[in-house]
Amino acid sequence: MKPIHFFWITFIFSLYWLLYLFSFLLMDIIIALLICVATMSIKEGIEKYVKFNFLSSFLSVILLLTLFVVPLFYGVNIFIKFISSLTQTNITEFLSVLKNQIYILKDYLSTIYPINAYTEDIIQSVDDFFNEIDIASVVQTSLAMSTTIGKWSATFIKDTAFISTFVFIFYYYGRSMYRYTIKLLPIPQKESEGICAEVSGVLGVVVYSLIVSVIFQGTLFGVAVYFFDYNAVLFGILYGLASLVPVVGGTLVWIPVVSYEVYLGNYKVAIFIALYSMIIIATIADNVIKPIIIGFINRIVLKSNIKINELTIFFAIFAGLVTFGFWGMILGPTITALFMALVRLYENYFLPQQKFENSC
């Protein structure tokens, strides 16, 4: 047996057991690595003022936790308290009053716009929905949801602790690990650096655009409800986080708010919030402005030369969230960017070599 063959057999065998050994941490390590790659510019910015590698790495992790984790736990904590306070009595009262208010709302709307058969069908569907609600089941589901969210929070805290630790390690040793990895890759250094630059560029665009998008949409909703005596910070955070959820997004926040306003009999407020959320935030901000934000961050803020269309990044984020959950917003674009970078590597490096060998 040739020494190189023995080496690869031994290497693959040891790699398998190494991955098996750290399998319970593997996803956390991967996510931490991707976060580090995407946000290395944050650490570089801090290093301009803090020259010590340990301290700048630590401050970078603290900043990321402040941006992502603290608002999330703030919103989740209040939501759990609200769910836990639900009882069969107050749910029954709420649904009963809400049902009556919807019919009053129908009469109110008829003075503004004629009620047609389609609208009547919608009202009848709502009426059937209320009649089919099992209050006891709703209370039981709420309690189960509270327990589920509590368990998820415990798991998320554990994952966040591990991810934060590994992010710090990657920040601290990142440059030396990058140089060593580039040296080990069996392709020219220029091509290796090109792949890494493209993947890190996409990740940077994704993370920063998500931060801006969450803040932007959350601010839009928070400012709107502030004028109706709601906690603008709380509802802004809740809407911003809900905007990351595939398909439903901000409806998880604005529909309960609209329902509560209908319950109170504030029909004009309910109509305004519903139309504002659907048209201004969900349609214009999410579908029109968000791709523009991605392009702006790509070309102006990060000054990246990545060759992936902004819409491709947008759909990669969406697909990642659907497939992998919360962390899929990072994994989806990474997989997409790596694949496209490898295709370009084959096109620009390996394909010309094959043509040259064939011509000889």
Side-chain angles (χ1 to χ4, degrees):
M1 179 183 293
K2 293 183 178 180
I4 189 63
H5 295 161
F6 174 78
F7 166 78
W8 282 117
I9 291 173
T10 308
F11 178 79
I12 293 173
F13 178 79
S14 61
L15 178 62
Y16 169 80
W17 285 107
L18 183 66
L19 294 176
Y20 181 80
L21 176 65
F22 290 98
S23 58
F24 73 105
L25 289 174
L26 189 59
M27 185 58 70
D28 292 340
I29 294 173
I30 292 173
I31 292 170
L33 176 61
L34 297 180
I35 291 175
C36 174
V37 171
T39 60
M40 183 57 75
S41 58
I42 291 178
K43 180 174 183 289
E44 292 173 349
I46 292 177
E47 282 181 326
K48 294 179 180 179
Y49 306 96
V50 180
K51 301 302 181 181
F52 298 101
N53 188 20
F54 180 89
L55 185 56
S56 62
S57 300
F58 178 76
L59 292 176
S60 300
V61 173
I62 295 299
L63 178 59
L64 289 179
L65 290 175
T66 304
L67 287 174
F68 286 104
V69 179
V70 174
L72 179 61
F73 277 105
Y74 173 69
V76 169
N77 182 54
I78 293 180
F79 182 72
I80 290 177
K81 290 180 179 179
F82 171 74
I83 291 293
S84 302
S85 67
L86 295 178
T87 64
Q88 186 167 339
T89 302
N90 56 35
I91 292 177
T92 303
E93 179 188 356
F94 176 79
L95 293 177
S96 176
V97 174
L98 181 61
K99 180 179 178 180
N100 293 330
Q101 292 287 12
I102 287 177
Y103 280 98
I104 298 174
L105 175 61
K106 183 190 77 169
D107 296 333
Y108 171 77
L109 291 175
S110 64
T111 63
I112 302 174
Y113 184 82
I115 301 296
N116 53 31
Y118 177 71
T119 307
E120 288 286 357
D121 290 339
I122 294 177
I123 298 296
Q124 184 60 46
S125 299
V126 172
D127 184 55
D128 294 338
F129 171 76
F130 280 114
N131 290 332
E132 293 173 1
I133 291 178
D134 183 357
I135 304 298
S137 177
V138 171
V139 174
Q140 186 177 0
T141 302
S142 300
L143 293 175
M145 184 184 298
S146 178
T147 303
T148 301
I149 294 176
K151 292 180 179 178
W152 174 84
S153 299
T155 302
F156 190 80
I157 290 173
K158 174 183 70 69
D159 289 337
T160 300
F162 281 122
I163 290 172
S164 301
T165 302
F166 287 120
V167 167
F168 172 81
I169 293 172
F170 289 132
Y171 273 147
Y172 190 78
Y173 296 104
R175 292 186 179 89
S176 58
M177 292 173 65
Y178 171 76
R179 290 192 294 268
Y180 184 71
T181 302
I182 291 295
K183 185 174 68 173
L184 289 180
L185 292 177
I187 52 178
Q189 180 176 339
K190 181 180 178 181
E191 304 296 339
S192 301
E193 291 176 347
I195 293 176
C196 293
E198 183 155 338
V199 174
S200 63
V202 169
L203 283 175
V205 170
V206 168
V207 171
Y208 294 127
S209 63
L210 282 175
I211 293 174
V212 173
S213 179
V214 166
I215 294 175
F216 179 55
Q217 294 190 44
T219 301
L220 285 177
F221 190 78
V223 169
V225 299
Y226 170 77
F227 294 100
F228 305 112
D229 296 326
Y230 285 93
N231 185 330
V233 175
L234 172 62
F235 281 91
I237 290 173
L238 291 177
Y239 195 97
L241 295 174
S243 68
L244 298 175
V245 179
V247 183
V248 291
T251 57
L252 294 172
V253 178
W254 71 258
I255 285 183
V257 173
V258 168
S259 299
Y260 182 68
E261 289 298 328
V262 172
Y263 166 80
L264 295 177
N266 300 328
Y267 307 125
K268 292 182 180 179
V269 175
I271 293 171
F272 171 79
I273 293 176
L275 293 177
Y276 179 86
S277 301
M278 289 187 290
I279 297 173
I280 302 298
I281 303 180
T283 302
I284 298 177
D286 195 35
N287 297 325
V288 178
I289 299 179
K290 187 174 180 178
I292 296 175
I293 290 175
I294 293 175
F296 175 80
I297 292 175
N298 177 21
R299 290 186 288 269
I300 307 300
V301 178
L302 297 180
K303 298 179 181 179
S304 173
N305 294 319
I306 59 174
K307 301 175 182 179
I308 297 181
N309 185 271
E310 288 83 9
L311 285 176
T312 303
I313 298 175
F314 175 77
F315 284 112
I317 295 172
F318 176 78
L321 285 167
V322 172
T323 306
F324 299 106
F326 180 78
W327 294 112
M329 61 183 178
I330 295 177
L331 293 174
T334 301
I335 295 170
T336 305
L338 179 60
F339 175 78
M340 298 185 73
L342 290 174
V343 170
R344 270 191 279 276
L345 174 64
Y346 176 79
E347 177 187 6
N348 299 327
Y349 180 73
F350 291 106
L351 191 60
Q353 282 189 342
Q354 289 183 353
K355 289 182 179 179
F356 176 77
E357 292 173 358
N358 293 335
S359 64
C360 294

